[in-house]
């Protein structure tokens, strides 16, 4: 199959790598349909994940190596002048956890997909954010918005009232004796 992508956002090399990652995940799912999502997405066992991470961290394909080495230090310097807010810090921790990155590599101006995220890891990030904040956002906000923009969005949202009983309550009842 082919892939349709926005050439203003992705290079042909990135689109090809995303297609390969998708196919890799489909094969893993077919081989282990009962496998845990974390196991299927494990970047340590992916041959394509490293390529996507390298592409995500490249400033420009033709940029000299010195320019690439300066970029992370600049974001760290910016954050030391402007510390992250509490929601930004939570998002940073979630993204770092989901993407397997050290938290100091996730800056306020970063985009989830530019850091190496994909649609499945985006769903995990949104679920983890819901668990941490009680607020559920659509995973599409991760496509174009920065961590800082998403934090503002979360700060403006109301906490979602629980509508379904918890898994434990569904499995074990309300905890009261029926006797």
């Amino acid at each position: 199959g082919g892939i349709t992508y926005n050439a203003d956002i992705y290079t042909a090399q990135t689109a090809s790598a995303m297609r390969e990652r998708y196919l890799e995940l489909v094969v893993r799912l077919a081989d282990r349909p009962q496998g845990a999502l974390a196991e299927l997405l494990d970047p340590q066992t992916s041959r394509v994940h490293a390529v996507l991470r390298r592409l995500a961290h490249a400033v420009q394909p033709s940029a000299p190596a010195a320019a690439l080495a300066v970029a992370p230090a600049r974001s760290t310097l910016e954050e030391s002048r402007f510390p992250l807010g509490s929601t930004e810090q939570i998002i940073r921790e979630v993204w770092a956890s989901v993407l397997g990155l050290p938290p100091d590599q996730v800056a306020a101006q970063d985009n989830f997909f530019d850091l190496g995220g994909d649609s499945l890891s985006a769903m995990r990030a949104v679920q983890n954010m819901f668990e941490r904040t009680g607020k559920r956002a659509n995973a599409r906000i991760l496509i174009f918005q920065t961590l800082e923009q998403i934090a503002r969005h979360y700060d403006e949202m109301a906490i979602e009232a629980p509508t379904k009983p918890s898994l434990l309550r569904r499995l074990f009842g309300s905890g009261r004796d029926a006797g």
Side-chain angles (χ1 to χ4, degrees), residues 95-127:
W95 287 12
S97 172
V98 168
L99 298 173
L101 298 171
D104 65 344
Q105 286 189 7
V106 180
Q109 296 305 314
D110 283 335
N111 171 278
F112 184 80
F113 286 90
D114 290 344
L115 291 172
D118 54 42
S119 58
L120 293 175
S121 59
M123 296 303 294
R124 286 180 37 218
V126 168
Q127 180 60 33

PDB file of all heavy atoms in Angstrom, residues 95-127:
ATOM      1  N   TRP A  95       5.070  12.517  27.665  1.00  0.00           N
ATOM      2  CA  TRP A  95       5.704  12.343  26.355  1.00  0.00           C
ATOM      3  C   TRP A  95       7.026  11.603  26.481  1.00  0.00           C
ATOM      4  O   TRP A  95       7.312  10.689  25.702  1.00  0.00           O
ATOM      5  CB  TRP A  95       5.932  13.686  25.679  1.00  0.00           C
ATOM      6  CG  TRP A  95       4.702  14.360  25.159  1.00  0.00           C
ATOM      7  CD1 TRP A  95       3.403  14.036  25.421  1.00  0.00           C
ATOM      8  CD2 TRP A  95       4.653  15.495  24.298  1.00  0.00           C
ATOM      9  NE1 TRP A  95       2.559  14.902  24.781  1.00  0.00           N
ATOM     10  CE2 TRP A  95       3.295  15.805  24.089  1.00  0.00           C
ATOM     11  CE3 TRP A  95       5.617  16.287  23.712  1.00  0.00           C
ATOM     12  CZ2 TRP A  95       2.894  16.860  23.280  1.00  0.00           C
ATOM     13  CZ3 TRP A  95       5.226  17.343  22.916  1.00  0.00           C
ATOM     14  CH2 TRP A  95       3.873  17.622  22.693  1.00  0.00           C
ATOM     15  N   ALA A  96       7.843  11.990  27.444  1.00  0.00           N
ATOM     16  CA  ALA A  96       9.138  11.335  27.631  1.00  0.00           C
ATOM     17  C   ALA A  96       8.945   9.847  27.916  1.00  0.00           C
ATOM     18  O   ALA A  96       9.639   9.008  27.346  1.00  0.00           O
ATOM     19  CB  ALA A  96       9.912  12.012  28.756  1.00  0.00           C
ATOM     20  N   SER A  97       7.982   9.537  28.761  1.00  0.00           N
ATOM     21  CA  SER A  97       7.711   8.137  29.106  1.00  0.00           C
ATOM     22  C   SER A  97       7.237   7.345  27.890  1.00  0.00           C
ATOM     23  O   SER A  97       7.735   6.261  27.596  1.00  0.00           O
ATOM     24  CB  SER A  97       6.673   8.081  30.217  1.00  0.00           C
ATOM     25  OG  SER A  97       6.265   6.758  30.449  1.00  0.00           O
ATOM     26  N   VAL A  98       6.264   7.899  27.168  1.00  0.00           N
ATOM     27  CA  VAL A  98       5.693   7.201  26.010  1.00  0.00           C
ATOM     28  C   VAL A  98       6.721   7.037  24.893  1.00  0.00           C
ATOM     29  O   VAL A  98       6.770   6.001  24.230  1.00  0.00           O
ATOM     30  CB  VAL A  98       4.437   7.952  25.491  1.00  0.00           C
ATOM     31  CG1 VAL A  98       4.001   7.441  24.139  1.00  0.00           C
ATOM     32  CG2 VAL A  98       3.300   7.820  26.498  1.00  0.00           C
ATOM     33  N   LEU A  99       7.566   8.047  24.692  1.00  0.00           N
ATOM     34  CA  LEU A  99       8.525   8.028  23.588  1.00  0.00           C
ATOM     35  C   LEU A  99       9.883   7.450  23.974  1.00  0.00           C
ATOM     36  O   LEU A  99      10.761   7.320  23.130  1.00  0.00           O
ATOM     37  CB  LEU A  99       8.706   9.439  23.023  1.00  0.00           C
ATOM     38  CG  LEU A  99       7.454  10.065  22.423  1.00  0.00           C
ATOM     39  CD1 LEU A  99       7.705  11.517  22.059  1.00  0.00           C
ATOM     40  CD2 LEU A  99       6.968   9.268  21.225  1.00  0.00           C
ATOM     41  N   GLY A 100      10.055   7.118  25.253  1.00  0.00           N
ATOM     42  CA  GLY A 100      11.325   6.553  25.691  1.00  0.00           C
ATOM     43  C   GLY A 100      12.470   7.560  25.651  1.00  0.00           C
ATOM     44  O   GLY A 100      13.601   7.207  25.319  1.00  0.00           O
ATOM     45  N   LEU A 101      12.165   8.817  25.977  1.00  0.00           N
ATOM     46  CA  LEU A 101      13.168   9.881  25.962  1.00  0.00           C
ATOM     47  C   LEU A 101      13.460  10.352  27.377  1.00  0.00           C
ATOM     48  O   LEU A 101      12.583  10.297  28.243  1.00  0.00           O
ATOM     49  CB  LEU A 101      12.650  11.089  25.171  1.00  0.00           C
ATOM     50  CG  LEU A 101      12.343  10.900  23.702  1.00  0.00           C
ATOM     51  CD1 LEU A 101      11.632  12.136  23.154  1.00  0.00           C
ATOM     52  CD2 LEU A 101      13.621  10.642  22.935  1.00  0.00           C
ATOM     53  N   PRO A 102      14.647  10.887  27.613  1.00  0.00           N
ATOM     54  CA  PRO A 102      14.878  11.562  28.889  1.00  0.00           C
ATOM     55  C   PRO A 102      14.029  12.841  28.913  1.00  0.00           C
ATOM     56  O   PRO A 102      13.925  13.521  27.884  1.00  0.00           O
ATOM     57  CB  PRO A 102      16.373  11.906  28.861  1.00  0.00           C
ATOM     58  CG  PRO A 102      16.957  11.110  27.747  1.00  0.00           C
ATOM     59  CD  PRO A 102      15.855  10.797  26.801  1.00  0.00           C
ATOM     60  N   PRO A 103      13.425  13.179  30.034  1.00  0.00           N
ATOM     61  CA  PRO A 103      12.563  14.370  30.078  1.00  0.00           C
ATOM     62  C   PRO A 103      13.252  15.655  29.632  1.00  0.00           C
ATOM     63  O   PRO A 103      12.619  16.519  29.041  1.00  0.00           O
ATOM     64  CB  PRO A 103      12.142  14.455  31.550  1.00  0.00           C
ATOM     65  CG  PRO A 103      12.226  13.050  32.033  1.00  0.00           C
ATOM     66  CD  PRO A 103      13.386  12.444  31.295  1.00  0.00           C
ATOM     67  N   ASP A 104      14.568  15.768  29.854  1.00  0.00           N
ATOM     68  CA  ASP A 104      15.247  17.002  29.464  1.00  0.00           C
ATOM     69  C   ASP A 104      15.390  17.153  27.950  1.00  0.00           C
ATOM     70  O   ASP A 104      15.792  18.212  27.469  1.00  0.00           O
ATOM     71  CB  ASP A 104      16.607  17.124  30.149  1.00  0.00           C
ATOM     72  CG  ASP A 104      17.596  16.045  29.730  1.00  0.00           C
ATOM     73  OD1 ASP A 104      17.174  15.027  29.147  1.00  0.00           O
ATOM     74  OD2 ASP A 104      18.801  16.225  29.994  1.00  0.00           O
ATOM     75  N   GLN A 105      15.013  16.133  27.186  1.00  0.00           N
ATOM     76  CA  GLN A 105      15.025  16.240  25.732  1.00  0.00           C
ATOM     77  C   GLN A 105      13.677  16.698  25.175  1.00  0.00           C
ATOM     78  O   GLN A 105      13.514  16.819  23.973  1.00  0.00           O
ATOM     79  CB  GLN A 105      15.415  14.909  25.086  1.00  0.00           C
ATOM     80  CG  GLN A 105      16.878  14.595  25.217  1.00  0.00           C
ATOM     81  CD  GLN A 105      17.256  13.381  24.388  1.00  0.00           C
ATOM     82  OE1 GLN A 105      16.467  12.841  23.617  1.00  0.00           O
ATOM     83  NE2 GLN A 105      18.488  12.927  24.547  1.00  0.00           N
ATOM     84  N   VAL A 106      12.716  16.933  26.041  1.00  0.00           N
ATOM     85  CA  VAL A 106      11.389  17.394  25.626  1.00  0.00           C
ATOM     86  C   VAL A 106      11.237  18.837  26.082  1.00  0.00           C
ATOM     87  O   VAL A 106      11.235  19.119  27.276  1.00  0.00           O
ATOM     88  CB  VAL A 106      10.265  16.516  26.216  1.00  0.00           C
ATOM     89  CG1 VAL A 106       8.915  17.008  25.768  1.00  0.00           C
ATOM     90  CG2 VAL A 106      10.478  15.053  25.838  1.00  0.00           C
ATOM     91  N   ALA A 107      11.116  19.755  25.106  1.00  0.00           N
ATOM     92  CA  ALA A 107      11.027  21.188  25.402  1.00  0.00           C
ATOM     93  C   ALA A 107       9.612  21.700  25.129  1.00  0.00           C
ATOM     94  O   ALA A 107       8.823  21.057  24.429  1.00  0.00           O
ATOM     95  CB  ALA A 107      12.033  21.952  24.553  1.00  0.00           C
ATOM     96  N   ALA A 108       9.320  22.872  25.647  1.00  0.00           N
ATOM     97  CA  ALA A 108       7.991  23.480  25.500  1.00  0.00           C
ATOM     98  C   ALA A 108       7.612  23.697  24.041  1.00  0.00           C
ATOM     99  O   ALA A 108       6.440  23.632  23.686  1.00  0.00           O
ATOM    100  CB  ALA A 108       7.928  24.797  26.273  1.00  0.00           C
ATOM    101  N   GLN A 109       8.579  23.939  23.174  1.00  0.00           N
ATOM    102  CA  GLN A 109       8.290  24.210  21.768  1.00  0.00           C
ATOM    103  C   GLN A 109       8.307  22.950  20.898  1.00  0.00           C
ATOM    104  O   GLN A 109       8.164  23.032  19.685  1.00  0.00           O
ATOM    105  CB  GLN A 109       9.290  25.246  21.216  1.00  0.00           C
ATOM    106  CG  GLN A 109       9.167  26.595  21.897  1.00  0.00           C
ATOM    107  CD  GLN A 109       7.748  27.147  21.844  1.00  0.00           C
ATOM    108  OE1 GLN A 109       7.094  27.133  20.807  1.00  0.00           O
ATOM    109  NE2 GLN A 109       7.257  27.620  22.978  1.00  0.00           N
ATOM    110  N   ASP A 110       8.455  21.786  21.510  1.00  0.00           N
ATOM    111  CA  ASP A 110       8.486  20.538  20.748  1.00  0.00           C
ATOM    112  C   ASP A 110       7.088  20.081  20.359  1.00  0.00           C
ATOM    113  O   ASP A 110       6.108  20.373  21.043  1.00  0.00           O
ATOM    114  CB  ASP A 110       9.161  19.425  21.559  1.00  0.00           C
ATOM    115  CG  ASP A 110      10.671  19.556  21.579  1.00  0.00           C
ATOM    116  OD1 ASP A 110      11.230  20.161  20.641  1.00  0.00           O
ATOM    117  OD2 ASP A 110      11.287  19.055  22.537  1.00  0.00           O
ATOM    118  N   ASN A 111       7.031  19.328  19.282  1.00  0.00           N
ATOM    119  CA  ASN A 111       5.814  18.689  18.797  1.00  0.00           C
ATOM    120  C   ASN A 111       5.973  17.190  19.012  1.00  0.00           C
ATOM    121  O   ASN A 111       7.059  16.640  18.781  1.00  0.00           O
ATOM    122  CB  ASN A 111       5.609  19.007  17.312  1.00  0.00           C
ATOM    123  CG  ASN A 111       4.486  18.205  16.695  1.00  0.00           C
ATOM    124  OD1 ASN A 111       4.684  17.059  16.312  1.00  0.00           O
ATOM    125  ND2 ASN A 111       3.324  18.801  16.616  1.00  0.00           N
ATOM    126  N   PHE A 112       4.914  16.528  19.438  1.00  0.00           N
ATOM    127  CA  PHE A 112       4.952  15.102  19.760  1.00  0.00           C
ATOM    128  C   PHE A 112       5.478  14.262  18.594  1.00  0.00           C
ATOM    129  O   PHE A 112       6.339  13.411  18.760  1.00  0.00           O
ATOM    130  CB  PHE A 112       3.552  14.633  20.168  1.00  0.00           C
ATOM    131  CG  PHE A 112       3.488  13.202  20.608  1.00  0.00           C
ATOM    132  CD1 PHE A 112       3.869  12.844  21.891  1.00  0.00           C
ATOM    133  CD2 PHE A 112       3.039  12.215  19.750  1.00  0.00           C
ATOM    134  CE1 PHE A 112       3.815  11.525  22.310  1.00  0.00           C
ATOM    135  CE2 PHE A 112       2.979  10.895  20.156  1.00  0.00           C
ATOM    136  CZ  PHE A 112       3.369  10.548  21.439  1.00  0.00           C
ATOM    137  N   PHE A 113       4.968  14.506  17.397  1.00  0.00           N
ATOM    138  CA  PHE A 113       5.360  13.708  16.237  1.00  0.00           C
ATOM    139  C   PHE A 113       6.779  14.025  15.790  1.00  0.00           C
ATOM    140  O   PHE A 113       7.488  13.151  15.298  1.00  0.00           O
ATOM    141  CB  PHE A 113       4.354  13.884  15.102  1.00  0.00           C
ATOM    142  CG  PHE A 113       3.062  13.159  15.362  1.00  0.00           C
ATOM    143  CD1 PHE A 113       2.020  13.788  16.023  1.00  0.00           C
ATOM    144  CD2 PHE A 113       2.893  11.843  14.981  1.00  0.00           C
ATOM    145  CE1 PHE A 113       0.838  13.122  16.286  1.00  0.00           C
ATOM    146  CE2 PHE A 113       1.719  11.157  15.237  1.00  0.00           C
ATOM    147  CZ  PHE A 113       0.690  11.796  15.895  1.00  0.00           C
ATOM    148  N   ASP A 114       7.221  15.261  15.979  1.00  0.00           N
ATOM    149  CA  ASP A 114       8.599  15.611  15.643  1.00  0.00           C
ATOM    150  C   ASP A 114       9.592  14.914  16.562  1.00  0.00           C
ATOM    151  O   ASP A 114      10.741  14.708  16.194  1.00  0.00           O
ATOM    152  CB  ASP A 114       8.815  17.123  15.720  1.00  0.00           C
ATOM    153  CG  ASP A 114       8.098  17.874  14.610  1.00  0.00           C
ATOM    154  OD1 ASP A 114       7.694  17.227  13.617  1.00  0.00           O
ATOM    155  OD2 ASP A 114       7.928  19.097  14.746  1.00  0.00           O
ATOM    156  N   LEU A 115       9.147  14.551  17.756  1.00  0.00           N
ATOM    157  CA  LEU A 115      10.006  13.832  18.699  1.00  0.00           C
ATOM    158  C   LEU A 115      10.053  12.333  18.407  1.00  0.00           C
ATOM    159  O   LEU A 115      10.750  11.600  19.096  1.00  0.00           O
ATOM    160  CB  LEU A 115       9.516  14.058  20.131  1.00  0.00           C
ATOM    161  CG  LEU A 115       9.691  15.466  20.684  1.00  0.00           C
ATOM    162  CD1 LEU A 115       8.993  15.598  22.038  1.00  0.00           C
ATOM    163  CD2 LEU A 115      11.166  15.813  20.812  1.00  0.00           C
ATOM    164  N   GLY A 116       9.300  11.881  17.431  1.00  0.00           N
ATOM    165  CA  GLY A 116       9.302  10.465  17.081  1.00  0.00           C
ATOM    166  C   GLY A 116       8.004   9.750  17.373  1.00  0.00           C
ATOM    167  O   GLY A 116       7.919   8.535  17.224  1.00  0.00           O
ATOM    168  N   GLY A 117       6.978  10.479  17.792  1.00  0.00           N
ATOM    169  CA  GLY A 117       5.683   9.866  18.083  1.00  0.00           C
ATOM    170  C   GLY A 117       4.983   9.380  16.827  1.00  0.00           C
ATOM    171  O   GLY A 117       5.278   9.839  15.723  1.00  0.00           O
ATOM    172  N   ASP A 118       4.085   8.446  17.000  1.00  0.00           N
ATOM    173  CA  ASP A 118       3.241   7.960  15.913  1.00  0.00           C
ATOM    174  C   ASP A 118       1.802   7.927  16.437  1.00  0.00           C
ATOM    175  O   ASP A 118       1.549   8.276  17.588  1.00  0.00           O
ATOM    176  CB  ASP A 118       3.702   6.588  15.404  1.00  0.00           C
ATOM    177  CG  ASP A 118       3.817   5.555  16.521  1.00  0.00           C
ATOM    178  OD1 ASP A 118       2.920   5.507  17.398  1.00  0.00           O
ATOM    179  OD2 ASP A 118       4.784   4.783  16.522  1.00  0.00           O
ATOM    180  N   SER A 119       0.874   7.507  15.596  1.00  0.00           N
ATOM    181  CA  SER A 119      -0.538   7.578  15.996  1.00  0.00           C
ATOM    182  C   SER A 119      -0.851   6.682  17.196  1.00  0.00           C
ATOM    183  O   SER A 119      -1.641   7.062  18.064  1.00  0.00           O
ATOM    184  CB  SER A 119      -1.454   7.238  14.816  1.00  0.00           C
ATOM    185  OG  SER A 119      -1.167   5.952  14.323  1.00  0.00           O
ATOM    186  N   LEU A 120      -0.241   5.523  17.279  1.00  0.00           N
ATOM    187  CA  LEU A 120      -0.512   4.635  18.418  1.00  0.00           C
ATOM    188  C   LEU A 120       0.077   5.198  19.710  1.00  0.00           C
ATOM    189  O   LEU A 120      -0.570   5.164  20.761  1.00  0.00           O
ATOM    190  CB  LEU A 120       0.032   3.237  18.146  1.00  0.00           C
ATOM    191  CG  LEU A 120      -0.682   2.476  17.025  1.00  0.00           C
ATOM    192  CD1 LEU A 120       0.024   1.155  16.753  1.00  0.00           C
ATOM    193  CD2 LEU A 120      -2.134   2.239  17.374  1.00  0.00           C
ATOM    194  N   SER A 121       1.287   5.725  19.627  1.00  0.00           N
ATOM    195  CA  SER A 121       1.866   6.320  20.843  1.00  0.00           C
ATOM    196  C   SER A 121       1.123   7.598  21.220  1.00  0.00           C
ATOM    197  O   SER A 121       1.047   7.942  22.404  1.00  0.00           O
ATOM    198  CB  SER A 121       3.364   6.567  20.681  1.00  0.00           C
ATOM    199  OG  SER A 121       3.636   7.431  19.610  1.00  0.00           O
ATOM    200  N   ALA A 122       0.553   8.294  20.246  1.00  0.00           N
ATOM    201  CA  ALA A 122      -0.264   9.485  20.548  1.00  0.00           C
ATOM    202  C   ALA A 122      -1.488   9.087  21.367  1.00  0.00           C
ATOM    203  O   ALA A 122      -1.863   9.784  22.318  1.00  0.00           O
ATOM    204  CB  ALA A 122      -0.683  10.197  19.264  1.00  0.00           C
ATOM    205  N   MET A 123      -2.098   7.965  21.022  1.00  0.00           N
ATOM    206  CA  MET A 123      -3.253   7.487  21.788  1.00  0.00           C
ATOM    207  C   MET A 123      -2.834   7.151  23.221  1.00  0.00           C
ATOM    208  O   MET A 123      -3.556   7.443  24.171  1.00  0.00           O
ATOM    209  CB  MET A 123      -3.897   6.273  21.113  1.00  0.00           C
ATOM    210  CG  MET A 123      -4.477   6.566  19.743  1.00  0.00           C
ATOM    211  SD  MET A 123      -5.704   7.879  19.739  1.00  0.00           S
ATOM    212  CE  MET A 123      -6.992   7.130  20.684  1.00  0.00           C
ATOM    213  N   ARG A 124      -1.660   6.549  23.378  1.00  0.00           N
ATOM    214  CA  ARG A 124      -1.164   6.240  24.718  1.00  0.00           C
ATOM    215  C   ARG A 124      -0.899   7.523  25.498  1.00  0.00           C
ATOM    216  O   ARG A 124      -1.199   7.605  26.688  1.00  0.00           O
ATOM    217  CB  ARG A 124       0.114   5.405  24.639  1.00  0.00           C
ATOM    218  CG  ARG A 124      -0.161   3.965  24.231  1.00  0.00           C
ATOM    219  CD  ARG A 124       1.057   3.073  24.135  1.00  0.00           C
ATOM    220  NE  ARG A 124       2.086   3.302  25.119  1.00  0.00           N
ATOM    221  CZ  ARG A 124       3.391   3.225  24.846  1.00  0.00           C
ATOM    222  NH1 ARG A 124       3.807   2.933  23.633  1.00  0.00           N
ATOM    223  NH2 ARG A 124       4.279   3.424  25.780  1.00  0.00           N
ATOM    224  N   ALA A 125      -0.337   8.527  24.832  1.00  0.00           N
ATOM    225  CA  ALA A 125      -0.047   9.804  25.500  1.00  0.00           C
ATOM    226  C   ALA A 125      -1.334  10.469  25.974  1.00  0.00           C
ATOM    227  O   ALA A 125      -1.411  10.953  27.107  1.00  0.00           O
ATOM    228  CB  ALA A 125       0.729  10.728  24.559  1.00  0.00           C
ATOM    229  N   VAL A 126      -2.348  10.479  25.115  1.00  0.00           N
ATOM    230  CA  VAL A 126      -3.627  11.092  25.492  1.00  0.00           C
ATOM    231  C   VAL A 126      -4.252  10.343  26.663  1.00  0.00           C
ATOM    232  O   VAL A 126      -4.774  10.955  27.595  1.00  0.00           O
ATOM    233  CB  VAL A 126      -4.583  11.161  24.274  1.00  0.00           C
ATOM    234  CG1 VAL A 126      -5.996  11.511  24.692  1.00  0.00           C
ATOM    235  CG2 VAL A 126      -4.061  12.162  23.261  1.00  0.00           C
ATOM    236  N   GLN A 127      -4.190   9.030  26.649  1.00  0.00           N
ATOM    237  CA  GLN A 127      -4.735   8.237  27.757  1.00  0.00           C
ATOM    238  C   GLN A 127      -3.964   8.504  29.047  1.00  0.00           C
ATOM    239  O   GLN A 127      -4.555   8.670  30.107  1.00  0.00           O
ATOM    240  CB  GLN A 127      -4.717   6.739  27.420  1.00  0.00           C
ATOM    241  CG  GLN A 127      -5.276   5.860  28.523  1.00  0.00           C
ATOM    242  CD  GLN A 127      -6.728   6.168  28.868  1.00  0.00           C
ATOM    243  OE1 GLN A 127      -7.517   6.550  28.015  1.00  0.00           O
ATOM    244  NE2 GLN A 127      -7.082   6.008  30.134  1.00  0.00           N
TER     245      GLN A 127
END
